[in-house]
Amino acid sequence: MDFELSEEQRLTQKMARDFAQKEVAPHATEWEEKKAIPREVFQHMGELGFFALPFPEEVGGLGAGYVGYALAVEEVSRASASLGISYAAHCSIGTSPIFLFGTEVQKERWLGPLLRGELLAAFGLTEPNAGSDAGGTETTAVLKDGEWLLNGAKCFITNANLAGVIVATAVTDKGRGSRGISSFIVPADAPGFSVGQTYGKLGLRASDTAELVFSDCRLPADALLGERGGGFKQFLQTLDGGRIGIAALSVGIAQACLDAALPYAKTRVQFGQPISKFQAIQFKLADMAMETELARLMTHKASWLKDSHLAFGREAAMAKLYASETCVRAALQAVQILGGYGYMEEYLVERYLRDAKLMEIGEGTSEIQRMVIARGLGC
Ligand code: COS
């Protein structure tokens, strides 16, 4: 067993940290206020290779695997969780299904631009009546005169307005339950496709979240991704990887909470000494540091299993569950340590608290993760 990062992984971490601290952190508050991240940020990330990290060299990736990708997502999210979620949604749930289930022709067409950041991707699964019960998909796809006609709507879709391509699910064979759901590659300029309402959110305000609308959306026959009827299993498999992304994002937020709370506690003087000298504050900081480290180790283990082509779904669910709950606790403690300042907008920790909450909801709620873990135990 070896807990050391390889030389390559250390370089990936350093590249991501340098980018995040120099080019993200100074602008993160402004992006939250404007509720948008400039397009050039994604272009620059593409040039630096961020989007190519988890994919193998055969398809134009950098072959850094999910360990390298998790290191990068953590660093980006430590500076801006909004950018972190846009990044993670693009890679692990937007691009991955094309990589995992696409034909050679589909991969040839889409992966190059997606890995270089020339296009962003989104994943259209959730619907008003199909969230945790993703098998309840109501969007339909009918094959007519050699074309697919999609009708329906998706909600809470990260990168909806930014995406050049969306992987979306629809019912192709009604009456077959979850085996009647298929996936489609939808270019953003497909006729009949549009982006609906953009949501106002508690946190992650700079990240783009909107509805997708399919009104007789016409797609060529070869827009089907993988087997007809295979969509449900595809998205469960996609979400297994996605949960590693959310775990890494959560570790980034938890680390940011510690980054803010520790120096504050060392310099804030009350009762004649820095508050870090009081055991009540030390215990909070100790728990934050321990839980963040544990969440990171769990994220790296799930990533390593995936990179080693071993079963990783249960560990990904454990990492996502533990890391997301850790970052909420860490954010609450950071606000508490900063006291009145922690509640004010100019101190970053109130943003971390608002951002952290989504980690317990997106890509499978904490309750769903516990179900997946329990199933892994044979319950
Ligand atoms: N990868 C691949 N296949 C999987 C899988 C996985 N991780 N998990 C289950 N499957 C397969 C099963 O083997 C089963 O195959 P067969 O029909 O051939 O036996 C099939 O998928 C259906 O599995 P299951 O019966 O367990 O499905 P359920 O409807 O009971 O699934 C859960 C329940 C909760 C696991 C599922 O609905 C889920 O993960 N929901 C959460 C979705 C979510 O995260 N939504 C938020 C999206 S935000 S992007």
Side-chain angles (χ1 to χ4, degrees), residues 93 101 123-127 130-136 155-158 178-179 232-241 243 312-314 320 361-365 367-369 371-372 375:
I93 54 174
F101 313 114
F123 183 57
L125 168 64
T126 303
E127 298 189 2
S132 294
D133 179 11
C155 58
F156 311 143
I157 306 303
T158 305
S178 61
R179 291 179 189 203
F232 187 74
K233 284 193 198 178
Q234 284 174 15
F235 68 65
L236 288 183
Q237 203 178 323
T238 301
L239 284 170
D240 285 341
R243 287 167 186 159
F312 70 96
R314 191 181 62 166
K320 196 270 188 189
I361 300 171
E363 296 191 32
T365 60
E367 292 73 15
I368 289 288
Q369 307 311 320
M371 274 175 63
V372 171
R375 285 175 181 215

CSV table of all heavy atoms in Angstrom, one decimal, residues 93 101 123-127 130-136 155-158 178-179 232-241 243 312-314 320 361-365 367-369 371-372 375, ligand 1:
chain,number,residue,atom,x,y,z
A,93,ILE,N,-20.2,13.6,-15.7
A,93,ILE,CA,-21.6,13.1,-16.1
A,93,ILE,C,-22.0,13.6,-17.5
A,93,ILE,O,-22.8,13.0,-18.2
A,93,ILE,CB,-22.7,13.5,-15.1
A,93,ILE,CG1,-22.7,14.9,-14.7
A,93,ILE,CG2,-22.5,12.6,-13.8
A,93,ILE,CD1,-23.9,15.3,-13.8
A,101,PHE,N,-20.1,4.9,-23.6
A,101,PHE,CA,-21.1,4.1,-24.3
A,101,PHE,C,-21.2,4.5,-25.8
A,101,PHE,O,-22.0,3.9,-26.5
A,101,PHE,CB,-22.5,4.3,-23.6
A,101,PHE,CG,-22.5,4.1,-22.1
A,101,PHE,CD1,-22.7,5.2,-21.3
A,101,PHE,CD2,-22.1,2.9,-21.6
A,101,PHE,CE1,-22.7,5.0,-19.9
A,101,PHE,CE2,-22.1,2.7,-20.2
A,101,PHE,CZ,-22.4,3.8,-19.4
A,123,PHE,N,-25.7,16.9,-18.6
A,123,PHE,CA,-26.3,15.6,-18.4
A,123,PHE,C,-27.8,15.8,-18.1
A,123,PHE,O,-28.1,16.4,-17.0
A,123,PHE,CB,-25.6,14.9,-17.3
A,123,PHE,CG,-26.0,13.5,-17.0
A,123,PHE,CD1,-26.0,12.5,-17.9
A,123,PHE,CD2,-26.4,13.1,-15.7
A,123,PHE,CE1,-26.3,11.2,-17.6
A,123,PHE,CE2,-26.7,11.8,-15.4
A,123,PHE,CZ,-26.7,10.9,-16.3
A,124,GLY,N,-28.6,15.4,-18.9
A,124,GLY,CA,-30.1,15.6,-18.7
A,124,GLY,C,-30.8,14.4,-18.3
A,124,GLY,O,-31.2,13.5,-19.1
A,125,LEU,N,-30.9,14.2,-16.9
A,125,LEU,CA,-31.5,13.1,-16.4
A,125,LEU,C,-32.8,13.5,-15.5
A,125,LEU,O,-33.9,13.0,-15.8
A,125,LEU,CB,-30.5,12.3,-15.5
A,125,LEU,CG,-31.1,11.2,-14.6
A,125,LEU,CD1,-31.7,10.1,-15.4
A,125,LEU,CD2,-29.9,10.7,-13.7
A,126,THR,N,-32.5,14.4,-14.6
A,126,THR,CA,-33.6,14.8,-13.6
A,126,THR,C,-34.8,15.5,-14.3
A,126,THR,O,-34.6,16.3,-15.2
A,126,THR,CB,-33.0,15.7,-12.6
A,126,THR,OG1,-31.9,15.0,-12.0
A,126,THR,CG2,-34.0,16.0,-11.5
A,127,GLU,N,-35.9,15.1,-13.9
A,127,GLU,CA,-37.2,15.7,-14.4
A,127,GLU,C,-38.0,16.1,-13.2
A,127,GLU,O,-37.8,15.6,-12.0
A,127,GLU,CB,-38.0,14.7,-15.2
A,127,GLU,CG,-37.2,14.2,-16.4
A,127,GLU,CD,-38.1,13.4,-17.4
A,127,GLU,OE1,-39.3,13.2,-17.1
A,127,GLU,OE2,-37.5,12.9,-18.4
A,130,ALA,N,-39.0,12.9,-11.7
A,130,ALA,CA,-38.0,11.8,-11.7
A,130,ALA,C,-36.6,12.4,-11.2
A,130,ALA,O,-35.8,12.9,-11.9
A,130,ALA,CB,-37.8,11.3,-13.1
A,131,GLY,N,-36.5,12.3,-9.9
A,131,GLY,CA,-35.2,12.8,-9.2
A,131,GLY,C,-34.5,11.6,-8.7
A,131,GLY,O,-33.8,10.8,-9.4
A,132,SER,N,-34.7,11.3,-7.4
A,132,SER,CA,-34.2,10.1,-6.8
A,132,SER,C,-34.7,8.9,-7.5
A,132,SER,O,-34.0,7.9,-7.8
A,132,SER,CB,-34.6,10.0,-5.3
A,132,SER,OG,-33.9,11.0,-4.6
A,133,ASP,N,-36.0,8.9,-7.9
A,133,ASP,CA,-36.6,7.8,-8.6
A,133,ASP,C,-36.4,8.1,-10.1
A,133,ASP,O,-37.3,8.4,-10.9
A,133,ASP,CB,-38.1,7.7,-8.3
A,133,ASP,CG,-38.8,6.6,-9.1
A,133,ASP,OD1,-38.1,5.8,-9.7
A,133,ASP,OD2,-40.0,6.6,-9.0
A,134,ALA,N,-35.1,8.0,-10.5
A,134,ALA,CA,-34.8,8.4,-11.9
A,134,ALA,C,-35.4,7.5,-13.0
A,134,ALA,O,-35.6,7.9,-14.1
A,134,ALA,CB,-33.3,8.4,-12.1
A,135,GLY,N,-35.9,6.3,-12.5
A,135,GLY,CA,-36.6,5.4,-13.5
A,135,GLY,C,-38.0,6.0,-13.8
A,135,GLY,O,-38.6,5.5,-14.8
A,136,GLY,N,-38.4,7.0,-13.1
A,136,GLY,CA,-39.7,7.6,-13.4
A,136,GLY,C,-39.7,8.6,-14.6
A,136,GLY,O,-40.6,9.4,-14.7
A,155,CYS,N,-35.1,19.1,-15.4
A,155,CYS,CA,-34.9,20.3,-14.5
A,155,CYS,C,-33.6,20.1,-13.8
A,155,CYS,O,-33.0,19.1,-13.7
A,155,CYS,CB,-36.1,20.4,-13.6
A,155,CYS,SG,-36.4,19.0,-12.6
A,156,PHE,N,-33.2,21.3,-13.2
A,156,PHE,CA,-31.9,21.4,-12.4
A,156,PHE,C,-30.7,20.9,-13.1
A,156,PHE,O,-29.8,20.3,-12.6
A,156,PHE,CB,-32.0,20.5,-11.1
A,156,PHE,CG,-33.3,20.7,-10.3
A,156,PHE,CD1,-33.9,19.6,-9.7
A,156,PHE,CD2,-33.9,21.9,-10.2
A,156,PHE,CE1,-35.1,19.8,-9.0
A,156,PHE,CE2,-35.1,22.1,-9.5
A,156,PHE,CZ,-35.7,21.0,-8.8
A,157,ILE,N,-30.5,21.3,-14.4
A,157,ILE,CA,-29.4,20.8,-15.2
A,157,ILE,C,-28.2,21.8,-15.1
A,157,ILE,O,-28.3,22.9,-15.6
A,157,ILE,CB,-29.9,20.6,-16.7
A,157,ILE,CG1,-31.1,19.7,-16.7
A,157,ILE,CG2,-28.7,20.0,-17.5
A,157,ILE,CD1,-31.0,18.3,-16.0
A,158,THR,N,-27.1,21.3,-14.6
A,158,THR,CA,-25.9,22.1,-14.5
A,158,THR,C,-25.3,22.3,-15.9
A,158,THR,O,-25.3,21.3,-16.7
A,158,THR,CB,-24.9,21.4,-13.6
A,158,THR,OG1,-25.5,21.1,-12.4
A,158,THR,CG2,-23.6,22.2,-13.4
A,178,SER,N,-37.8,0.5,-16.3
A,178,SER,CA,-36.5,1.1,-16.5
A,178,SER,C,-35.8,0.6,-17.7
A,178,SER,O,-34.9,1.2,-18.2
A,178,SER,CB,-35.7,0.9,-15.2
A,178,SER,OG,-35.5,-0.4,-14.9
A,179,ARG,N,-36.2,-0.6,-18.2
A,179,ARG,CA,-35.6,-1.1,-19.4
A,179,ARG,C,-36.1,-0.5,-20.7
A,179,ARG,O,-35.7,-0.8,-21.8
A,179,ARG,CB,-35.8,-2.6,-19.5
A,179,ARG,CG,-35.0,-3.3,-18.5
A,179,ARG,CD,-35.1,-4.8,-18.5
A,179,ARG,NE,-34.5,-5.3,-17.3
A,179,ARG,CZ,-34.0,-6.5,-17.1
A,179,ARG,NH1,-34.2,-7.4,-18.1
A,179,ARG,NH2,-33.5,-6.9,-16.0
A,232,PHE,N,-31.1,3.4,-18.5
A,232,PHE,CA,-31.1,3.4,-17.0
A,232,PHE,C,-29.8,2.9,-16.4
A,232,PHE,O,-29.2,3.5,-15.5
A,232,PHE,CB,-32.3,2.5,-16.5
A,232,PHE,CG,-32.6,2.6,-15.1
A,232,PHE,CD1,-33.1,3.7,-14.5
A,232,PHE,CD2,-32.2,1.5,-14.2
A,232,PHE,CE1,-33.4,3.7,-13.1
A,232,PHE,CE2,-32.5,1.5,-12.9
A,232,PHE,CZ,-33.1,2.6,-12.3
A,233,LYS,N,-29.3,1.8,-16.9
A,233,LYS,CA,-28.1,1.2,-16.4
A,233,LYS,C,-26.9,2.2,-16.7
A,233,LYS,O,-26.0,2.3,-15.9
A,233,LYS,CB,-27.8,-0.1,-17.0
A,233,LYS,CG,-28.6,-1.2,-16.4
A,233,LYS,CD,-28.1,-2.6,-16.7
A,233,LYS,CE,-29.2,-3.6,-16.5
A,233,LYS,NZ,-28.8,-4.9,-16.9
A,234,GLN,N,-27.0,2.8,-17.9
A,234,GLN,CA,-25.9,3.7,-18.3
A,234,GLN,C,-25.8,4.9,-17.3
A,234,GLN,O,-24.7,5.3,-16.9
A,234,GLN,CB,-26.2,4.3,-19.7
A,234,GLN,CG,-25.9,3.5,-20.8
A,234,GLN,CD,-26.4,4.2,-22.1
A,234,GLN,OE1,-26.6,5.3,-22.1
A,234,GLN,NE2,-26.5,3.4,-23.2
A,235,PHE,N,-27.0,5.4,-16.9
A,235,PHE,CA,-26.9,6.6,-16.0
A,235,PHE,C,-26.5,6.2,-14.6
A,235,PHE,O,-25.9,6.9,-13.9
A,235,PHE,CB,-28.0,7.6,-16.2
A,235,PHE,CG,-29.4,7.2,-15.7
A,235,PHE,CD1,-29.6,6.9,-14.4
A,235,PHE,CD2,-30.4,7.1,-16.6
A,235,PHE,CE1,-30.9,6.6,-14.0
A,235,PHE,CE2,-31.7,6.8,-16.2
A,235,PHE,CZ,-31.9,6.5,-14.9
A,236,LEU,N,-26.9,5.0,-14.2
A,236,LEU,CA,-26.5,4.5,-12.9
A,236,LEU,C,-24.9,4.4,-12.9
A,236,LEU,O,-24.3,4.8,-11.9
A,236,LEU,CB,-27.1,3.2,-12.5
A,236,LEU,CG,-28.6,3.3,-12.1
A,236,LEU,CD1,-29.1,1.9,-11.7
A,236,LEU,CD2,-28.9,4.3,-11.0
A,237,GLN,N,-24.4,3.8,-14.0
A,237,GLN,CA,-22.9,3.7,-14.1
A,237,GLN,C,-22.3,5.1,-14.1
A,237,GLN,O,-21.2,5.3,-13.5
A,237,GLN,CB,-22.6,2.9,-15.3
A,237,GLN,CG,-21.3,2.2,-15.3
A,237,GLN,CD,-21.1,1.4,-16.6
A,237,GLN,OE1,-22.0,0.7,-17.1
A,237,GLN,NE2,-19.9,1.4,-17.1
A,238,THR,N,-22.9,6.0,-14.9
A,238,THR,CA,-22.3,7.3,-15.0
A,238,THR,C,-22.3,8.0,-13.7
A,238,THR,O,-21.3,8.7,-13.3
A,238,THR,CB,-23.2,8.2,-16.0
A,238,THR,OG1,-23.1,7.5,-17.3
A,238,THR,CG2,-22.7,9.6,-16.2
A,239,LEU,N,-23.4,7.8,-12.9
A,239,LEU,CA,-23.5,8.5,-11.6
A,239,LEU,C,-22.5,8.0,-10.6
A,239,LEU,O,-22.0,8.7,-9.7
A,239,LEU,CB,-24.9,8.4,-11.0
A,239,LEU,CG,-26.0,9.3,-11.7
A,239,LEU,CD1,-27.4,8.9,-11.2
A,239,LEU,CD2,-25.7,10.8,-11.3
A,240,ASP,N,-22.2,6.7,-10.8
A,240,ASP,CA,-21.1,6.1,-9.9
A,240,ASP,C,-19.8,7.0,-10.0
A,240,ASP,O,-19.2,7.3,-9.0
A,240,ASP,CB,-20.8,4.7,-10.3
A,240,ASP,CG,-21.9,3.7,-9.8
A,240,ASP,OD1,-22.7,4.0,-8.9
A,240,ASP,OD2,-21.9,2.6,-10.3
A,241,GLY,N,-19.4,7.3,-11.2
A,241,GLY,CA,-18.3,8.1,-11.4
A,241,GLY,C,-18.5,9.6,-11.0
A,241,GLY,O,-17.6,10.2,-10.4
A,243,ARG,N,-20.3,10.6,-8.7
A,243,ARG,CA,-20.2,10.8,-7.2
A,243,ARG,C,-18.8,11.0,-6.7
A,243,ARG,O,-18.6,11.6,-5.7
A,243,ARG,CB,-20.9,9.6,-6.5
A,243,ARG,CG,-22.4,9.7,-6.7
A,243,ARG,CD,-23.1,8.4,-6.4
A,243,ARG,NE,-24.5,8.6,-6.8
A,243,ARG,CZ,-25.4,7.7,-7.1
A,243,ARG,NH1,-25.1,6.4,-7.0
A,243,ARG,NH2,-26.7,8.0,-7.4
A,312,PHE,N,-16.3,-0.1,-7.9
A,312,PHE,CA,-16.1,1.1,-7.1
A,312,PHE,C,-17.4,1.8,-6.7
A,312,PHE,O,-17.3,2.8,-6.0
A,312,PHE,CB,-15.2,2.1,-7.8
A,312,PHE,CG,-15.9,2.7,-9.0
A,312,PHE,CD1,-16.5,4.0,-8.9
A,312,PHE,CD2,-15.9,2.1,-10.2
A,312,PHE,CE1,-17.1,4.6,-10.0
A,312,PHE,CE2,-16.6,2.7,-11.3
A,312,PHE,CZ,-17.2,3.9,-11.2
A,313,GLY,N,-18.5,1.3,-7.1
A,313,GLY,CA,-19.8,2.0,-6.9
A,313,GLY,C,-20.1,2.3,-5.4
A,313,GLY,O,-20.5,3.4,-5.0
A,314,ARG,N,-19.9,1.2,-4.6
A,314,ARG,CA,-20.2,1.4,-3.1
A,314,ARG,C,-19.2,2.4,-2.5
A,314,ARG,O,-19.6,3.3,-1.7
A,314,ARG,CB,-20.1,0.0,-2.4
A,314,ARG,CG,-20.6,0.0,-1.0
A,314,ARG,CD,-20.4,-1.3,-0.4
A,314,ARG,NE,-19.0,-1.7,-0.3
A,314,ARG,CZ,-18.5,-2.7,0.5
A,314,ARG,NH1,-19.4,-3.4,1.2
A,314,ARG,NH2,-17.3,-2.9,0.6
A,320,LYS,N,-18.9,10.0,-1.4
A,320,LYS,CA,-19.8,11.1,-1.7
A,320,LYS,C,-20.6,11.5,-0.5
A,320,LYS,O,-20.7,12.6,-0.1
A,320,LYS,CB,-20.7,10.8,-2.9
A,320,LYS,CG,-21.4,11.9,-3.5
A,320,LYS,CD,-22.8,12.2,-2.9
A,320,LYS,CE,-23.5,13.2,-3.7
A,320,LYS,NZ,-24.8,13.7,-3.0
A,361,ILE,N,-27.2,16.8,-1.8
A,361,ILE,CA,-28.5,16.6,-2.7
A,361,ILE,C,-28.1,16.2,-4.1
A,361,ILE,O,-28.7,15.2,-4.6
A,361,ILE,CB,-29.2,18.0,-2.7
A,361,ILE,CG1,-29.7,18.4,-1.3
A,361,ILE,CG2,-30.5,17.8,-3.6
A,361,ILE,CD1,-30.2,19.8,-1.2
A,362,GLY,N,-27.2,16.8,-4.7
A,362,GLY,CA,-26.9,16.6,-6.2
A,362,GLY,C,-26.3,15.2,-6.4
A,362,GLY,O,-25.5,14.7,-5.6
A,363,GLU,N,-26.6,14.7,-7.6
A,363,GLU,CA,-26.0,13.4,-8.0
A,363,GLU,C,-26.3,12.3,-7.0
A,363,GLU,O,-25.5,11.4,-6.8
A,363,GLU,CB,-24.6,13.5,-8.4
A,363,GLU,CG,-24.4,14.4,-9.6
A,363,GLU,CD,-23.0,14.4,-10.2
A,363,GLU,OE1,-22.4,13.4,-10.2
A,363,GLU,OE2,-22.7,15.5,-10.7
A,364,GLY,N,-27.5,12.3,-6.5
A,364,GLY,CA,-28.0,11.3,-5.5
A,364,GLY,C,-27.9,11.9,-4.1
A,364,GLY,O,-26.8,12.2,-3.6
A,365,THR,N,-29.0,12.0,-3.4
A,365,THR,CA,-29.1,12.6,-2.1
A,365,THR,C,-28.3,11.6,-1.1
A,365,THR,O,-28.0,10.5,-1.4
A,365,THR,CB,-30.5,12.7,-1.6
A,365,THR,OG1,-31.1,11.3,-1.6
A,365,THR,CG2,-31.4,13.6,-2.5
A,367,GLU,N,-29.6,10.2,1.3
A,367,GLU,CA,-30.5,9.0,1.5
A,367,GLU,C,-30.3,8.0,0.4
A,367,GLU,O,-30.2,6.8,0.7
A,367,GLU,CB,-32.0,9.5,1.6
A,367,GLU,CG,-32.3,10.3,2.8
A,367,GLU,CD,-31.8,11.8,2.7
A,367,GLU,OE1,-31.4,12.2,1.6
A,367,GLU,OE2,-31.8,12.4,3.8
A,368,ILE,N,-30.1,8.5,-0.8
A,368,ILE,CA,-29.9,7.5,-1.9
A,368,ILE,C,-28.5,6.8,-1.7
A,368,ILE,O,-28.3,5.6,-2.0
A,368,ILE,CB,-29.9,8.2,-3.3
A,368,ILE,CG1,-31.4,8.6,-3.7
A,368,ILE,CG2,-29.3,7.4,-4.4
A,368,ILE,CD1,-32.3,7.4,-4.0
A,369,GLN,N,-27.5,7.6,-1.3
A,369,GLN,CA,-26.2,7.0,-1.1
A,369,GLN,C,-26.3,5.9,0.0
A,369,GLN,O,-25.7,4.8,-0.2
A,369,GLN,CB,-25.1,8.0,-0.7
A,369,GLN,CG,-25.0,9.3,-1.5
A,369,GLN,CD,-24.8,9.0,-3.0
A,369,GLN,OE1,-24.2,8.0,-3.4
A,369,GLN,NE2,-25.5,9.7,-3.8
A,371,MET,N,-28.8,4.1,0.6
A,371,MET,CA,-29.5,2.9,-0.1
A,371,MET,C,-28.5,2.1,-0.9
A,371,MET,O,-28.4,0.9,-0.9
A,371,MET,CB,-30.6,3.4,-1.0
A,371,MET,CG,-31.9,3.7,-0.4
A,371,MET,SD,-33.1,4.4,-1.6
A,371,MET,CE,-33.2,3.1,-2.8
A,372,VAL,N,-27.7,2.9,-1.7
A,372,VAL,CA,-26.7,2.2,-2.5
A,372,VAL,C,-25.7,1.4,-1.7
A,372,VAL,O,-25.3,0.3,-2.0
A,372,VAL,CB,-26.0,3.2,-3.4
A,372,VAL,CG1,-24.8,2.6,-4.2
A,372,VAL,CG2,-26.9,3.9,-4.4
A,375,ARG,N,-27.3,-1.6,-0.2
A,375,ARG,CA,-27.4,-2.7,-1.3
A,375,ARG,C,-26.1,-3.4,-1.5
A,375,ARG,O,-26.0,-4.6,-1.7
A,375,ARG,CB,-27.9,-2.1,-2.6
A,375,ARG,CG,-29.4,-1.8,-2.5
A,375,ARG,CD,-29.7,-1.0,-3.8
A,375,ARG,NE,-31.1,-0.7,-3.8
A,375,ARG,CZ,-31.9,-0.7,-4.8
A,375,ARG,NH1,-31.5,-1.0,-6.0
A,375,ARG,NH2,-33.2,-0.4,-4.7
B,1,COS,N1,-24.2,0.4,-12.6
B,1,COS,C1,-24.7,-0.3,-13.6
B,1,COS,N2,-25.9,-1.0,-13.4
B,1,COS,C2,-26.6,-0.9,-12.3
B,1,COS,C3,-26.1,-0.1,-11.2
B,1,COS,C4,-24.9,0.6,-11.4
B,1,COS,N3,-24.3,1.3,-10.4
B,1,COS,N4,-26.9,-0.2,-10.1
B,1,COS,C5,-27.9,-1.0,-10.6
B,1,COS,N5,-27.7,-1.4,-11.8
B,1,COS,C6,-28.5,-2.3,-12.6
B,1,COS,C7,-29.0,-3.5,-11.8
B,1,COS,O1,-28.1,-4.6,-11.9
B,1,COS,C8,-30.3,-3.8,-12.5
B,1,COS,O2,-30.0,-4.6,-13.7
B,1,COS,P1,-31.0,-5.8,-14.1
B,1,COS,O3,-32.4,-5.1,-14.4
B,1,COS,O4,-30.4,-6.4,-15.3
B,1,COS,O5,-31.1,-6.7,-12.9
B,1,COS,C9,-30.8,-2.5,-13.0
B,1,COS,O6,-29.7,-1.6,-13.0
B,1,COS,C10,-31.9,-1.9,-12.1
B,1,COS,O7,-31.3,-1.9,-10.8
B,1,COS,P2,-32.2,-1.7,-9.5
B,1,COS,O8,-33.3,-2.7,-9.5
B,1,COS,O9,-31.3,-1.7,-8.3
B,1,COS,O10,-32.9,-0.3,-9.7
B,1,COS,P3,-33.7,0.6,-8.8
B,1,COS,O11,-34.8,1.2,-9.6
B,1,COS,O12,-34.1,-0.1,-7.6
B,1,COS,O13,-32.6,1.7,-8.5
B,1,COS,C11,-31.6,3.4,-7.2
B,1,COS,C12,-32.6,2.3,-7.3
B,1,COS,C13,-31.9,4.2,-5.9
B,1,COS,C14,-30.2,2.7,-7.0
B,1,COS,C15,-31.5,4.3,-8.4
B,1,COS,O14,-32.8,4.7,-8.8
B,1,COS,C16,-30.7,5.5,-8.1
B,1,COS,O15,-29.4,5.5,-8.0
B,1,COS,N6,-31.4,6.7,-8.0
B,1,COS,C17,-30.7,7.9,-7.8
B,1,COS,C18,-30.6,8.6,-9.0
B,1,COS,C19,-29.9,9.9,-8.8
B,1,COS,O16,-28.8,10.0,-8.3
B,1,COS,N7,-30.6,11.0,-9.2
B,1,COS,C20,-30.0,12.3,-9.1
B,1,COS,C21,-29.5,12.7,-10.4
B,1,COS,S1,-28.6,14.2,-10.3
B,1,COS,S2,-27.6,14.1,-12.0
